[in-house]
Amino acid sequence: MEGNGSKRKTSPVNVMGRPSKIYKQDPYLSVVENGQPPADDEHYIMDMDAEDRVSLPPVAATADTAEWQATIEKVVRNVVSIHFCQTCSFDTDSAISSEATGFVVDAEKGYILTNRHVVGAGPFWGYCIFDNHEECDVYPVYRDPVHDFGILRFDPKAIKYMPLTALTLKPELAKVGVEIRVVGNDAGEKLSILSGVISRLDRNAPEYGEGYSDFNTNYIQAAAAASGGSSGSPVVNLDGHAVALQAGGRADGAATDYFLPLDRPLRALECIRRGETVPRGTIQTQWVIKPFDECRRLGLSSEWEAAIRKGFPKETGMLVAEIVLPEGPADQQLEEGDVLIKVNGELLTQFVRLDSVLDSSVDKKVSLLVQRGGKDIEVELQVGDLHAITPDRFVTVAGGSFHNLSYQQARLYAIPVKGVYVCEAAGSFKFESTDSGWLIESVDQKKTPNLDAFIEVMSKIRDRARVVVTYKHVRDLHTLTTSIIYIDRHWSNKMRLAVRNDVTGVWDFTNLAEPLPAAPPVRCKADFARPDYVGHPAAADIIRSFVRVSCTMPLKLDGFPRARKVGFGLVINAEKGLVLVSRGIVPFDLCDLSLTIAESIIVEAKVVFLHPLANYAVIQYDPSLVDAPVESAKLATEQIKQGAPTIFFGWNQNFRAVVTPTTVTDITTVAIPSNVSAPRYRAINLDAITVDTGLSGQCGSGVLVREDGTIEALWLNYLGERSPHSQKDVEYHLGLATPSLLPTLSQVQADITPSLRILNVETNTVQMSQCRIMGVSESWITKVAEANPSRHQLFMVRKIDCAPPSGYDDQSLHEGDIILTLNGQLITRVTELDIMYDHSYLDALVVRRGEELRLRVPTIPTADLNTTRAVIFCGAVLHAPHHAVRQQISKLHSEVYVSVRTRGSPAYQYGLAPTNFITAVNDVPTPSLTEFVREARKVADNTYFRLRVVTFDNVPWVATMKKCEHYFPTLEFVREDGVWRKKAFGTEGDGLGGMGGVGGGVDEMTGVDEVGG
């Protein structure tokens, strides 16, 4: 545990029988669900069937005797394959979809025993499949707060084609040397039977890293090698009795498995059968088994050792305190290293007996006799309720989810069981680069010691307010972090409380305080700092034309990989509050924009215009709210030249302005590389400027400015492909000359929304040597040299966007065409392609297959390329294929495109993946979102339906999926009259799983917040 940053107190001596479990990544999980590998800052989700994976092949049961064959035939009828979702992050568990094993322990009442890490601590949604492939839903009725077992309930009447029987639990039959079989869903197979022999009964519980781990129990060790998916399998003897529960195994090459004894599961089952709660007591102390030799080193006297050996002749060790939680019942009474001798006057060496005493003494006192350094220490402790320190409720607000810190987490880091734990660090509460592990200390200057106090504080905070939050991480309680966060109560408008219901097996949701409306904005006054840039007064003045832009996206659209971006924008009209910013910072208009002016004034903004190709957006704030000397930038009307001197003014990743004189090294036509696995916006057909300074690579926002203060070029960040090596998104920092922007910006400044039209092609430059080979005549080569003396080049069509439904006509451009003229103008510069913006058709002269050809080429409107509607269905975000998809695909299969899917959702469980196209619901064609929503609403909740799907690579397949409105309600986002609105279908607010709160952070594309320069 020390290697992963845990504060677990561990002895340098290896604790006997306590191997750490090593995760082996599932190949299927090497890709996160925007269709691309995860970045370093994104955390992996480990499937339950990957948790227990080992590197050795399973040891199959071979040459079984007739007795074993008869036993197995009886056992398999009781074994079920469990397919489940843990629908949202909770406590130690992240949202996942996976499969495991369980077995029937009560056929009459319908109880299935499996692992606690399968049932999970939070919301669970799943079904089981019996050996004859009958299926029924399962619901949790119990999960142990500590030990790795849980109980699911199913309806026995739902199984119609086979007689139901149950396995009998016989924990007393687990003995060393007993031959056993592990019968379960191994490594994703329906049924696998693995053989083994019990070799030890006194192993300590295995450690599973920083997630859930069992403790305060012994484990049974066997020479077997179960693998992924076998969690929850019954371990049976020759008589067909369950003697243990499969729970984990080694992944270091040893064919060894670990089984949970059935003493405590049997007790819990009997309580549940009687309709009683399962009492669980605790003194908040973790014990481990240590052999007598180590106990002697800790101070065990020879007299007590003799007494123990006489009373328990088969024992080889004793229980020793490993962790005593601060502020718990045993704090200041017990210490780490204490050797347990007696409990209530009874000699005690086994976990089962200790559990029994504590469970029967909840809210009572017990006396313990321990030896500490050779001295007898007797203490009397108040036994607490273990269920009381195990969270059974959580609240979602402002996109994040919270509950009281659990005993599991406190034990893992040896900290007090108190505080508000952020189980889903998303939305307004997305802190730094770690997704979980935060403890909220205060919000809005008010202490939040527990969940009730946190709810009270949050209910009084207005929408769009900015408040101070202090928090610590469970790994480092020495450091208090202070941040100012923006509270979103409009996209994530509901504050919802989820409470576990063990009667129904689902979590009940209640809406708490309604959001308070945002406070009206107030005009503020500020002045810009006057940096003293020696020799560059123009640079000192240009700082008054920059504002910091923070873009928060409540929903992932268009393949964009982040939930928040921060960078800088250039004010192009201070009177109207118009700001130009990179589309690498503002990718689409479903977002909340905040501008910081003069490092003092914060105002909201809106998107006015998104350029389809040139990587910039225009946003607008209300200038009446700003009392500061903001200046409009003066944009150059003449093209900057290669080799020209200029001043580079940029903003680095620390939000500091940097200035240096430099020279333009190159101006070349480029297209930002496409992201193959998940198409997203990219700039194409542009002239990119590079300069001779290392600062240019450190700054994602800035300008190239003359000595007189005229802006010659913008310095922007361009989102590129995801690197297959580093698994990080590549950002390019390049200059964009201002003259090409002026025609479009003049319309924006005149309050006209530009309605641009474009050729649906991507081009690249070809030199004259290539043109001559491809059939361009000498006369045209001469004209090119005369028209563009600095660059002898033409443009060739490299890629054509996918065809419209009607297909391309004979006037369309083809890939490989060399463009000579458009509307009679020779095209040798990329800026000359801008003629397409204002024409529905272009008269083109091209060279195709060595011959000149005249075409009347249609352009396409760009208004249709922006996403204006998105539907969240079964945890998947669906919208029409955005421009990047159309650029990279040759044929659109439908207008229903899967952009994102949520961890732990039906979409994830049943394999509906990003970049898929949905073409039909229950065999009814759904060419657009309208038809899809109509058919999807006909599907009853918790019933199966069929989806016809086509992959990005044109492979058709059929998905069967079960609808789950309770945890994953259907929502719709629609842009109407320039404003995005959220709509619900039916029971909006019931669900909390996945994107029900639309706060971001639980979908598979979420990464850390990023600085764009």
Side-chain angles (χ1 to χ4, degrees), residues 188-201:
E189 299 296 331
K190 174 62 182 72
L191 183 67
S192 182
I193 302 168
L194 306 175
S195 63
V197 177
I198 293 177
S199 57
R200 298 203 67 161
L201 301 176

Side-chain angles (χ1 to χ4, degrees), residues 49-117:
D49 60 355
E51 270 191 348
D52 303 328
R53 193 147 299 164
V54 296
S55 55
L56 288 183
V59 180
T62 58
D64 271 339
T65 63
E67 291 90 345
W68 267 117
Q69 291 176 359
T71 296
I72 295 302
E73 287 179 6
K74 295 177 183 178
V75 170
V76 294
R77 300 174 194 161
N78 305 280
V79 178
V80 298
S81 175
I82 302 171
H83 300 253
F84 66 96
C85 296
Q86 293 174 6
T87 65
C88 62
S89 296
F90 186 87
D91 196 12
T92 58
D93 304 321
S94 296
I96 60 168
S97 299
S98 189
E99 60 186 51
T101 306
F103 58 97
V104 178
V105 291
D106 190 319
E108 188 176 318
K109 295 186 176 180
Y111 292 139
I112 292 171
L113 181 64
T114 186
N115 289 130
R116 191 260 199 192
H117 71 256

Side-chain angles (χ1 to χ4, degrees), residues 703-751:
V703 292
L704 303 181
V705 58
R706 296 178 190 161
E707 290 287 356
D708 63 359
T710 302
I711 306 299
E712 297 181 290
L714 306 173
W715 197 255
L716 304 175
N717 65 312
Y718 295 76
L719 179 62
E721 75 280 18
R722 173 156 285 190
S723 168
H725 304 294
S726 67
Q727 309 303 339
K728 290 187 175 181
D729 294 311
V730 178
E731 282 197 355
Y732 299 90
H733 299 162
L734 301 167
L736 179 65
T738 57
S740 62
L741 314 179
L742 296 178
T744 302
L745 295 184
S746 63
Q747 295 184 55
V748 176
Q749 296 190 63
D751 298 327

Side-chain angles (χ1 to χ4, degrees), residues 560 565 582-585 613-616 670-673 680-684 686-689 699-701 714-721 729-737 741 1012:
F560 194 75
K565 290 285 285 186
S582 168
R583 281 196 69 171
I585 297 170
L613 303 176
N615 194 56
Y616 71 86
V670 300
I672 301 300
R680 65 236 189 150
Y681 176 84
R682 65 190 181 98
I684 62 171
L686 74 145
D687 274 343
I689 301 170
C699 301
S701 303
L714 306 173
W715 197 255
L716 304 175
N717 65 312
Y718 295 76
L719 179 62
E721 75 280 18
D729 294 311
V730 178
E731 282 197 355
Y732 299 90
H733 299 162
L734 301 167
L736 179 65
L741 314 179

Side-chain angles (χ1 to χ4, degrees), residues 909-965:
Q909 184 175 34
Y910 294 101
L912 185 65
T915 73
N916 285 173
F917 294 84
I918 299 174
T919 60
V921 176
N922 287 334
D923 298 323
V924 178
T926 55
S928 71
L929 279 176
T930 300
E931 287 85 0
F932 176 85
V933 170
R934 181 192 66 214
E935 295 305 315
R937 294 186 68 181
K938 295 178 182 178
V939 178
D941 191 23
N942 206 41
T943 60
Y944 279 101
F945 58 96
R946 298 182 306 282
L947 293 178
R948 292 202 173 272
V949 184
V950 182
T951 69
F952 201 81
D953 297 323
N954 305 321
V955 178
W957 64 287
V958 177
T960 58
M961 186 180 299
K962 183 180 286 188
K963 196 175 184 181
C964 179
E965 287 289 325

Side-chain angles (χ1 to χ4, degrees), residues 329-561:
D331 189 26
Q332 307 298 321
Q333 302 288 320
L334 297 178
E335 294 182 3
E336 291 84 352
D338 286 352
V339 181
L340 182 62
I341 306 295
K342 290 184 177 181
V343 177
N344 287 343
E346 173 190 352
L347 288 175
L348 192 148
T349 63
Q350 294 187 339
F351 281 115
V352 171
R353 182 57 188 153
L354 178 60
D355 261 358
S356 178
V357 172
L358 295 178
D359 291 348
S360 61
S361 305
V362 177
D363 296 329
K364 300 177 183 177
K365 290 187 177 182
V366 294
S367 63
L368 274 67
L369 175 65
V370 299
Q371 274 222 311
R372 182 183 305 159
K375 297 180 181 179
D376 288 356
I377 306 292
E378 189 165 1
V379 297
E380 189 175 66
L381 304 177
Q382 181 77 21
V383 178
D385 184 355
L386 189 52
H387 294 299
I389 54 175
T390 302
D392 61 356
R393 60 179 187 144
F394 67 96
V395 68
T396 61
V397 61
S401 297
F402 313 83
H403 58 67
N404 285 319
L405 183 69
S406 70
Y407 182 38
Q408 275 284 338
Q409 294 279 22
R411 189 272 322 181
L412 187 61
Y413 298 101
I415 59 178
V417 190
K418 65 178 184 179
V420 177
Y421 180 76
V422 186
C423 58
E424 189 69 68
S428 299
F429 289 89
K430 190 168 184 60
F431 299 136
E432 300 180 14
S433 61
T434 304
D435 285 343
S436 60
W438 300 108
L439 292 172
I440 303 295
E441 294 283 313
S442 71
V443 178
D444 197 21
Q445 315 293 348
K446 299 176 182 65
K447 291 289 185 180
T448 54
N450 53 52
L451 189 63
D452 291 331
F454 176 80
I455 292 172
E456 179 67 19
V457 172
M458 289 301 300
S459 66
K460 297 179 180 178
I461 298 177
R462 289 181 176 272
D463 182 28
R464 302 182 188 272
R466 287 173 173 81
V467 298
V468 177
V469 176
T470 60
Y471 50 95
K472 297 179 179 179
H473 200 276
V474 290
R475 295 194 199 98
D476 181 16
L477 295 186
H478 304 291
T479 304
L480 180 68
T481 305
T482 302
S483 295
I484 297 174
I485 65 171
Y486 169 80
I487 299 296
D488 167 23
R489 293 295 305 277
H490 45 282
W491 299 117
S492 302
N493 57 332
K494 301 292 186 183
M495 181 191 291
R496 300 171 183 152
L497 180 67
V499 179
R500 192 181 72 214
N501 187 333
D502 286 332
V503 175
T504 63
V506 298
W507 289 60
D508 299 327
F509 305 129
T510 305
N511 288 334
L512 301 179
E514 290 295 319
L516 299 177
V522 178
R523 179 179 173 89
C524 296
K525 182 177 182 179
D527 203 353
F528 288 89
R530 293 284 298 173
D532 186 12
Y533 299 120
V534 177
H536 305 295
D541 290 336
I542 199 65
I543 200 170
R544 292 192 289 174
S545 298
F546 274 100
V547 298
R548 190 163 75 212
V549 180
S550 175
C551 180
T552 302
M553 290 144 276
L555 190 66
K556 295 299 183 62
L557 299 177
D558 299 355
F560 194 75

Side-chain angles (χ1 to χ4, degrees), residues 530-757:
R530 293 284 298 173
D532 186 12
Y533 299 120
V534 177
H536 305 295
D541 290 336
I542 199 65
I543 200 170
R544 292 192 289 174
S545 298
F546 274 100
V547 298
R548 190 163 75 212
V549 180
S550 175
C551 180
T552 302
M553 290 144 276
L555 190 66
K556 295 299 183 62
L557 299 177
D558 299 355
F560 194 75
R562 302 296 174 191
R564 188 163 78 97
K565 290 285 285 186
V566 180
F568 284 82
L570 183 70
V571 178
I572 57 174
N573 190 319
E575 292 183 359
K576 294 185 176 182
L578 295 174
V579 178
L580 191 149
V581 65
S582 168
R583 281 196 69 171
I585 297 170
V586 182
F588 44 79
D589 55 6
L590 177 54
C591 61
D592 288 338
L593 292 172
S594 298
L595 308 186
T596 304
I597 300 172
E599 297 297 331
S600 177
I601 305 171
I602 300 177
V603 294
E604 307 300 317
K606 63 179 181 179
V607 176
V608 174
F609 172 70
L610 297 165
H611 197 284
L613 303 176
N615 194 56
Y616 71 86
V618 179
I619 61 179
Q620 186 175 32
Y621 66 93
D622 184 354
S624 67
L625 300 174
V626 178
D627 184 3
V630 181
E631 287 193 357
S632 303
K634 180 183 177 183
L635 305 184
T637 57
E638 297 180 359
Q639 291 283 350
I640 192 171
K641 305 293 185 182
Q642 184 177 6
T646 188
I647 298 172
F648 178 84
F649 180 98
W651 298 90
N652 63 21
Q653 292 186 350
N654 296 321
F655 301 146
R656 297 285 297 170
V658 292
V659 180
T660 186
T662 187
T663 303
V664 176
T665 55
D666 194 15
I667 304 175
T668 185
T669 302
V670 300
I672 301 300
S674 60
N675 190 54
V676 177
S677 57
R680 65 236 189 150
Y681 176 84
R682 65 190 181 98
I684 62 171
N685 302 341
L686 74 145
D687 274 343
I689 301 170
T690 56
V691 292
D692 184 23
T693 173
L695 293 177
S696 63
Q698 303 172 18
C699 301
S701 303
V703 292
L704 303 181
V705 58
R706 296 178 190 161
E707 290 287 356
D708 63 359
T710 302
I711 306 299
E712 297 181 290
L714 306 173
W715 197 255
L716 304 175
N717 65 312
Y718 295 76
L719 179 62
E721 75 280 18
R722 173 156 285 190
S723 168
H725 304 294
S726 67
Q727 309 303 339
K728 290 187 175 181
D729 294 311
V730 178
E731 282 197 355
Y732 299 90
H733 299 162
L734 301 167
L736 179 65
T738 57
S740 62
L741 314 179
L742 296 178
T744 302
L745 295 184
S746 63
Q747 295 184 55
V748 176
Q749 296 190 63
D751 298 327
I752 300 172
T753 301
S755 181
L756 305 184
R757 302 182 68 88

